[in-house]
Structure formats: structure tokens, C-alpha cells
Amino acid sequence: MKLFAAGIAYCLLGIVTADIDDDYKIERIIPDVLDKAPINYLQQISYNNKKVELGKELTPSEVKDAPLIEWNFDSSKFYTLILNDPDAPSRENPQMREFLHWAIVNIPGNDFAKGDTLAKYIGAGPPKDTGLHRYIFTVYQQPGKLTFEEKPMSDTSLDGRANFSLRKFAIKYNLNDPVSGNMFQAQYDDYVPLFYKNLGM
């Protein structure tokens, strides 16, 4: 019974036996975005029951709304969740690396609703003929509850999202190494023009 309970706890935390460092290097998240891989996979991410698995392709239509994320972290700590795309406008020509898609900070334990949203969620909008883009979820444990200087970003504007740097953001707020993460890939589909229309473009 104790082993079973421990197994459940490890699954909720996203801990797996696979070498996450190697996987992050294969997908070139290291060195494109991070210098070090998270401690474990954030496994409980789903878009309408479609699970995010490292490198798996999802469509912009499938990820247009914010996913359901569950984790079982320390209720006495605060966490930051970032979703970014390092392949804007394309992996071969990433002039806007990185593009920020979502940022929630000061998440107390598992309670996302009580976190502060710095950047409202916007889904994937890879331009036509730019191939697959990587969309990377990264979670940091904060040193405590923090005051963030960034102006909140709406879900109807691209202002302030391009050329985001996860490395610089983490250094600025002393976030140390990421504790969990995952990623999916997406490329253009018929939803993308509506994505840009919703952003006033």
C-alpha cells in the first residue's frame, strides 16, 4: 500500500525514469531556451483530454484554449509557470525568440486560480510555411512571493510578448533551476488566421 501511494505521488509530481536532460537536448530546448533541464516532467497537461508529451504534435485548433494543468507541489511555496515559443517566426529564422504565450506567477502550491497572470494565455499561431514550432512549459519554484515589474499582457494583443528571454526572467527574479517542464510542437492549420484576427492583426 505504501509503495502504491508513493507511486501515485510520484506520478502527480511528474517524476519519470527517462533522462529528461537528454530529451531536452534532443529537442534543442537546451541550449535554445534553457541551460539546464527541469528536475522532472510536468506530465499532467491536457487540452480537451489530449495529453502533452514531449515533442508530440498538436494542432493550433486543439490548443486554442488554455490547458488543464495539475501538479502536486509544496502548498507552502510559490511557483511560476511560463509557456513560450523559441521558434518565432520560424526555427530557421528565430528573430523574435522567444515569444511568450502564457505567464502565471505567485501560484501558491497547486492553486492556479490564486496566481497572478502576467501574460494571459494565447494559443499557438505558427505562420504558414514555417514548419513545426516548439511550445515549452517551464515551472520554477520561487524564493517566496514576489513583486513582478512586468506590465500584465492581455490575450488580445501581441505587445510585449516578442523577444522574451526565459533565462533573463529567471535570473531577474532569482528563480534558480526549473523544477518541472514539458513541450509540444505545432504547425500552421486553418485556425491560425482566426488566431491573428483575434489579436487584431
Side-chain angles (χ1 to χ4, degrees), residues 7-102:
I8 292 175
Y10 270 63
C11 285
L12 288 171
L13 283 167
I15 297 173
V16 293
T17 57
D19 191 339
I20 190 170
D21 187 68
D22 285 348
D23 290 343
Y24 266 54
K25 288 175 180 175
I26 289 169
E27 296 293 346
R28 294 198 58 80
I29 300 169
I30 299 172
D32 290 350
V33 177
L34 295 170
D35 296 316
K36 187 175 181 179
I39 298 168
N40 57 66
Y41 282 115
L42 181 58
Q43 291 189 309
Q44 304 299 322
I45 312 173
S46 60
Y47 289 92
N48 294 318
N49 297 319
K50 290 186 179 292
K51 188 176 178 181
V52 171
E53 299 172 353
L54 192 87
K56 179 179 178 180
E57 184 176 350
L58 299 172
T59 69
S61 299
E62 291 170 333
V63 302
K64 61 185 178 66
D65 299 315
L68 173 65
I69 299 180
E70 298 177 13
W71 65 48
N72 189 24
F73 291 146
D74 188 336
S75 61
S76 68
K77 305 292 185 181
F78 291 90
Y79 297 89
T80 287
L81 169 70
I82 301 290
L83 172 63
N84 59 335
D85 168 14
D87 303 321
S90 69
R91 198 173 302 197
E92 292 73 26
N93 184 32
Q95 293 181 348
M96 291 186 287
R97 174 176 292 170
E98 303 145 22
F99 193 89
L100 181 63
H101 282 261
W102 200 17

Side-chain angles (χ1 to χ4, degrees), residues 28-197:
R28 294 198 58 80
I29 300 169
I30 299 172
D32 290 350
V33 177
L34 295 170
D35 296 316
K36 187 175 181 179
I39 298 168
N40 57 66
Y41 282 115
L42 181 58
Q43 291 189 309
Q44 304 299 322
I45 312 173
S46 60
Y47 289 92
N48 294 318
N49 297 319
K50 290 186 179 292
K51 188 176 178 181
V52 171
E53 299 172 353
L54 192 87
K56 179 179 178 180
E57 184 176 350
L58 299 172
T59 69
S61 299
E62 291 170 333
V63 302
K64 61 185 178 66
D65 299 315
L68 173 65
I69 299 180
E70 298 177 13
W71 65 48
N72 189 24
F73 291 146
D74 188 336
S75 61
S76 68
K77 305 292 185 181
F78 291 90
Y79 297 89
T80 287
L81 169 70
I82 301 290
L83 172 63
N84 59 335
D85 168 14
D87 303 321
S90 69
R91 198 173 302 197
E92 292 73 26
N93 184 32
Q95 293 181 348
M96 291 186 287
R97 174 176 292 170
E98 303 145 22
F99 193 89
L100 181 63
H101 282 261
W102 200 17
I104 306 177
V105 299
N106 288 329
I107 302 168
N110 311 314
D111 198 342
F112 285 88
K114 292 184 179 177
D116 300 323
T117 301
L118 288 186
K120 287 189 176 182
Y121 180 88
I122 58 173
K128 196 171 185 178
D129 300 323
T130 62
L132 288 166
H133 288 225
R134 294 165 292 174
Y135 295 86
I136 303 165
F137 293 89
T138 308
V139 181
Y140 293 93
Q141 181 180 297
Q142 299 176 190
K145 191 169 186 179
L146 300 174
T147 298
F148 290 83
E149 298 175 358
E150 286 75 14
K151 181 180 177 181
M153 303 172 198
S154 77
D155 57 355
T156 58
S157 173
L158 298 179
D159 290 347
R161 294 179 182 266
N163 300 119
F164 174 80
S165 170
L166 187 57
R167 283 187 178 94
K168 290 179 181 179
F169 184 84
I171 290 169
K172 181 178 180 179
Y173 293 107
N174 298 311
L175 298 180
N176 296 316
D177 296 328
V179 296
S180 195
N182 212 328
M183 63 88 78
F184 67 90
Q185 300 188 87
Q187 59 186 319
Y188 180 91
D189 76 357
D190 291 342
Y191 171 74
V192 174
L194 181 58
F195 167 85
Y196 286 107
K197 182 179 180 181

